[in-house]
Amino acid sequence: MQSALEAFLSDRNRPTPFLVLDPAVVARRYAELTQAFPGAEILYAVKACPHPAVLRVLVDAGAGFDAASPAEVASCVEAGADPARICAGNPVRGAAATAACHAAGVRRFVTDSVEDLDELAVHAPGAEVLVRVLVDDTGSATPFFGKFGATPAVATELLRGCGSRGLVATGVTFHAGSQQTRPATYSAGAATAVAVATEAGVQRPVLDIGGGLPVAYRSAVPAWAEFAAAVAGHDVRLVVEPGRALVAEAGVLRTSVLRVSRRPGVDHRRWVYLDAGRYQGLAETENEAIDYPVRVAGRDGPTGPVVIAGPTCDGDDVLYRRTPYALPLSLRAGDHVDLLHAGAYTASYASVGFNGFAPLPVHVAPQPSSRAT
Ligand SMILES: *Cc1c(COP(=O)(O)O)cnc(C)c1O
């Protein structure tokens, strides 16, 4: 049977660019993840793809949510989520957002600084607190470079400081960086985080291993079971916060070729300009961090090397210059180029109108069974 995404894409007349999502793929990935991490609580990181159809299918499947802002909390609640299953996972909310999340019924907060802990005491009294521990995120395609997380010594002090502030020290979390391909990074992070909880005297702590689980874009990645094995063996309540891993494969971003240029004196390769680029959903091509599989429907024959660029006047709007890509020599303006596994960090990253280009339209593919035959 043709997948819902392929069925949707077989209509070649829709204006491009657009992202098409299949929520059934999200549900399937969620079920697979619960099998890889039996007994763990799964909180979907909303920022990866906040589309209501995705949130609804995850509510129905029993997921909780990792929300970074009051607006993300509201989207989850609107999709039917119980606020008790939402964790405010961004340690840099600010006082007003902390108060708004608390007022919406959120009781779990992540922190990594004494400044935030003081705000939680005032604006989220009685909240359960997880402290984010700084860990090595080597092996991530998009590392954090130390933006978040307290050193183990500071993290221990933050947990110890909860009680006197009327907060409940609940456990520890870390984030190994997104598209993290090394299970060993998780085992090291988990060991560091659990040691902090033990040192602070938290009984049977929550160990939230964050997100980062990788997707096989153009290269194979380890199975989820290997990541689960890497964090096993601690006496903890395990929580996983996947974003990318649940939604990437549920989306295809269809673009059209605006121009194929030979550029004598500039580059020996053809330059292929698409109608979507860095500002229409392909933000993760920054530093060429994510290499989407690319497909040209209806063009066979020999291929040759290309540079792939977006449509705007920004010099940064080049998707792949270093990363080798080859496209058919017969490629012409007007052809469709589909970027696969594009469900994560695309629509939510699109700009509102840089150079006059609209935000990326999003479609939800009807399930084949619900289509007239
Ligand atoms: C972004 C984020 C995630 C999800 O990361 P992925 O790499 O998409 O799985 C999970 N937790 C937190 C706190 C995040 O900021």
Side-chain angles (χ1 to χ4, degrees):
M1 188 179 69
Q2 201 182 25
S3 78
L5 290 173
E6 296 306 333
F8 189 89
L9 291 166
S10 66
D11 175 356
R12 311 282 238 103
N13 295 321
R14 272 193 194 83
T16 63
F18 64 81
L19 175 71
V20 55
L21 293 170
D22 180 0
V25 174
V26 179
R28 204 153 66 226
R29 296 302 270 161
Y30 180 83
E32 289 164 8
L33 196 72
T34 57
Q35 278 162 21
F37 289 88
E41 181 178 21
I42 295 173
L43 305 179
Y44 169 60
V46 175
K47 72 179 186 290
C49 181
H51 194 284
V54 168
L55 300 181
R56 278 196 299 266
V57 83
L58 287 168
V59 168
D60 291 346
F65 296 91
D66 172 65
S69 62
E72 282 191 353
V73 169
S75 300
C76 294
V77 171
E78 208 161 298
D82 176 355
R85 300 288 313 285
I86 300 173
C87 177
N90 182 358
V92 198
R93 284 169 306 274
T98 296
C101 290
H102 191 259
V106 176
R107 293 293 174 266
R108 272 191 269 182
F109 290 79
V110 172
T111 194
D112 68 355
S113 68
V114 70
E115 292 80 6
D116 184 57
L117 201 63
D118 286 339
E119 283 180 6
L120 287 172
V122 176
H123 299 288
E128 297 179 6
V129 173
L130 299 177
V131 172
R132 182 154 163 182
V133 183
L134 181 63
V135 300
D136 175 24
D137 56 12
T138 308
S140 162
T142 59
F144 287 104
F145 301 110
K147 179 176 177 187
F148 298 106
T151 61
V154 172
T156 305
E157 284 313 304
L158 291 172
L159 284 174
R160 286 184 178 144
C162 285
S164 62
R165 288 176 173 83
L167 301 165
V168 183
T170 303
V172 281
T173 182
F174 64 90
H175 197 309
S178 203
Q179 186 67 7
Q180 172 57 261
T181 54
R182 296 186 197 172
T185 302
Y186 284 85
S187 47
T192 303
V194 169
V196 165
T198 304
E199 179 74 17
V202 181
Q203 299 298 315
R204 196 142 189 280
V206 166
L207 171 62
D208 177 340
I209 64 167
L213 294 174
V215 166
Y217 287 100
R218 297 202 306 168
S219 317
V221 295
W224 289 342
E226 292 187 44
F227 294 91
V231 299
H234 303 285
D235 183 22
V236 295
R237 292 173 280 157
L238 192 66
V239 174
V240 190
E241 291 177 356
R244 182 188 305 283
L246 289 180
V247 294
E249 281 121 315
V252 175
L253 200 160
R254 171 160 282 178
T255 70
S256 295
V257 175
L258 294 177
R259 175 161 305 147
V260 183
S261 285
R262 303 259 170 207
R263 308 196 64 207
V266 178
D267 202 309
H268 70 282
R269 299 167 292 185
R270 290 167 299 154
W271 277 54
V272 174
Y273 300 87
L274 304 177
D275 61 359
R278 181 71 53 80
Y279 301 96
Q280 292 80 40
L282 297 171
E284 285 207 302
T285 59
E286 185 177 3
N287 300 320
E288 308 192 17
I290 297 299
D291 61 331
Y292 299 98
V294 163
R295 177 179 75 182
V296 182
R299 291 264 184 217
D300 308 318
T303 62
V306 290
V307 173
I308 304 179
T312 71
C313 294
D314 195 307
D316 271 350
D317 192 10
V318 176
L319 309 180
Y320 302 111
R321 191 194 289 267
R322 286 182 283 109
T323 311
Y325 272 87
L327 289 176
L329 297 175
S330 57
L331 190 72
R332 294 289 176 272
D335 286 353
H336 285 154
V337 172
D338 291 338
L339 289 88
L340 310 183
H341 305 345
Y345 301 112
T346 45
S348 55
Y349 264 151
S351 86
V352 297
F354 178 56
N355 254 184
F357 291 89
L360 186 67
V362 181
H363 303 291
V364 176
Q367 293 307 304
S369 56
S370 67
R371 292 164 77 93
T373 48

